[in-house]
Amino acid sequence: MPAWSDLASDVLEHITSFLALTDQHRFSAVCHNWRSIAKRKRHPPAPQLPWLVLGEDQKTKKLNFFNLSEQRLYSIDIPELYGHHIVSSSYGWLFTIDERVNGYLLNPFTRERFELPPFPSFFDDMTMTLNADEAVIESNGKCFTLTFQELQTTIVSKAILSHDPKENPDFTVIIMFGEVARPAIWRPCDTGWAIIDCPYPLSDVIWFEGKLYIYSFDVMFAVDVVGSNPKATKISTLVSGIFVPFWLYLVDFKGKLLLVERFGERLCRKSFVVSRVNLKEGALDGLDSVDNLALFVGNSSPLVVDPSGFPGCIPNGIYFTGVYSSLNRADDFGVYHVVEKTVKPFCPVNDVVSPREIKLVWFTPNLS
């Protein structure tokens, strides 16, 4: 009987196609032969639940991740992200801001990176000057200062991608920037950010069926991103109810556009309302379930997962994280069951709560 290390290469490569990222790493540690097979990367890691980015360890500078499938913490040394604030994730790329308020797109596992242009000013009549240790901001004849850490954690509230940059080099970065969450876009062919003219503050943005949609004050806008002056066109008014949600999210749900509204701040009082958006009629159709799938919402691009292949993942569950760069409380993340209308933590509280200001960011590793 041959030893495990002597198994045929095609058999070992086939085995790797069933392994998630962490299991592929363990596979490579078995012996020299298996490691050489793993390095070929003939198969991408098997599908897995999203990870949660927890921010940088203050002592080691390593980036902390929580693997939801394994219910386990991982600390990964990524020097390119030392001192960075993690804003969002999309297609396995992290949108980050360094200590001098420079923006980047980075794939933490392939280390590929895009340097983004300087961010636009919060308002049209505002100027911002970066000194050695602070930012000086002038607006309407008034002047005030912000530390770089304050600016680093507030200048951009969310960022998403239109496509995976590895699959489509003609991708678009969409950000919600400033305290009023104004929209702007950037493409690799651009020299700077193009601000989208529309009412703000924004509630959310999404790239859906090849178009950019913006939701603000119950109004849905479609944006023509071609050219240097993107324009937002009102397409419908959506009135969901008499109560104002604490936050809301736009979700691409198997080719259908959903509006997910979050009510209540504390865990015991949180509830969600899910509606299908009818763009043509400007109507919201309430849903009693999400077809036994699971939604992951927060500051990143929303994710839809089939829980059937992942033990412990809750069907009809909405996995949510906090929406601000503020002190993460034990009641600012969890999973809401759409059918049973119950809410609970999705992991041990002590694994996630941080003593400093960070964002909890959903992230799907991408090794393509």
Side-chain angles (χ1 to χ4, degrees), residues 221-236:
F221 297 87
V223 181
D224 181 4
V225 299
V226 178
S228 58
N229 295 306
K231 299 186 181 299
T233 303
K234 177 181 175 180
I235 56 175
S236 60

Side-chain angles (χ1 to χ4, degrees), residues 238-253:
L238 305 170
V239 180
S240 57
I242 60 174
F243 299 105
V244 178
F246 174 70
W247 205 259
L248 56 81
Y249 315 90
L250 296 172
V251 178
D252 184 347
F253 185 77

Side-chain angles (χ1 to χ4, degrees), residues 52-56 61-65 78 80-90 93-98 104 106 108 152-154 156-159 299-300 324-325 328 356-363:
L52 199 61
V53 184
L54 306 180
E56 181 182 271
K61 298 296 184 181
K62 293 182 178 180
L63 193 61
N64 292 323
F65 296 86
I78 307 175
E80 296 91 337
L81 292 180
Y82 287 175
H84 283 230
H85 173 64
I86 312 298
V87 177
S88 295
S89 171
S90 189
W93 293 73
L94 296 178
F95 184 93
T96 76
I97 300 176
D98 70 11
Y104 301 90
L106 182 134
Q152 183 187 30
T153 58
T154 58
V156 176
S157 56
K158 184 171 185 175
N299 295 293
S300 300
Y324 298 115
S325 292
N328 282 297
R356 62 192 184 91
E357 292 189 356
I358 63 170
K359 280 185 176 179
L360 301 177
V361 174
W362 291 118
F363 165 75

Side-chain angles (χ1 to χ4, degrees), residues 201 203 214-221 234-241 243-245 248 259 261 282 284:
S203 298
I214 292 174
Y215 191 62
S216 175
F217 293 110
D218 293 333
V219 178
M220 188 74 75
F221 297 87
K234 177 181 175 180
I235 56 175
S236 60
T237 299
L238 305 170
V239 180
S240 57
F243 299 105
V244 178
L248 56 81
L259 178 67
E261 298 173 287
L284 293 174

Side-chain angles (χ1 to χ4, degrees), residues 18-88:
F18 297 95
L19 302 180
L21 177 63
T22 51
D23 289 329
Q24 285 194 355
H25 181 72
R26 297 181 183 106
F27 176 97
S28 70
V30 171
C31 63
H32 176 76
N33 185 35
W34 287 30
R35 182 175 181 82
S36 65
I37 295 294
K39 283 185 174 181
R40 296 178 188 176
K41 297 181 180 180
R42 297 285 175 83
H43 300 283
Q48 58 191 313
L49 291 178
W51 292 21
L52 199 61
V53 184
L54 306 180
E56 181 182 271
D57 185 286
Q58 294 294 283
K59 294 181 180 179
T60 67
K61 298 296 184 181
K62 293 182 178 180
L63 193 61
N64 292 323
F65 296 86
F66 184 82
N67 185 321
L68 193 61
S69 295
E70 300 178 358
Q71 292 285 298
R72 178 177 174 180
L73 283 170
Y74 287 93
S75 293
I76 302 176
D77 190 25
I78 307 175
E80 296 91 337
L81 292 180
Y82 287 175
H84 283 230
H85 173 64
I86 312 298
V87 177
S88 295

Side-chain angles (χ1 to χ4, degrees), residues 164-272:
D164 182 346
K166 288 294 290 183
E167 295 183 359
N168 187 342
D170 188 26
F171 65 93
T172 301
V173 182
I174 304 103
I175 62 172
M176 295 165 55
F177 73 95
E179 293 184 354
V180 293
R182 298 182 70 183
I185 64 170
W186 174 83
R187 293 151 297 195
C189 60
D190 297 334
T191 57
W193 295 95
I195 299 176
I196 300 171
D197 184 19
C198 73
Y200 54 83
L202 302 187
S203 298
D204 203 7
V205 295
I206 190 172
W207 190 271
F208 178 71
E209 294 188 338
K211 296 180 180 179
L212 174 60
Y213 290 91
I214 292 174
Y215 191 62
S216 175
F217 293 110
D218 293 333
V219 178
M220 188 74 75
F221 297 87
V223 181
D224 181 4
V225 299
V226 178
S228 58
N229 295 306
K231 299 186 181 299
T233 303
K234 177 181 175 180
I235 56 175
S236 60
T237 299
L238 305 170
V239 180
S240 57
I242 60 174
F243 299 105
V244 178
F246 174 70
W247 205 259
L248 56 81
Y249 315 90
L250 296 172
V251 178
D252 184 347
F253 185 77
K254 302 184 300 182
K256 303 174 184 177
L257 184 59
L258 299 187
L259 178 67
V260 179
E261 298 173 287
R262 168 182 162 182
F263 296 88
E265 293 190 52
R266 295 201 166 275
L267 185 66
C268 61
R269 296 180 181 177
K270 279 186 172 66
S271 64
F272 287 77

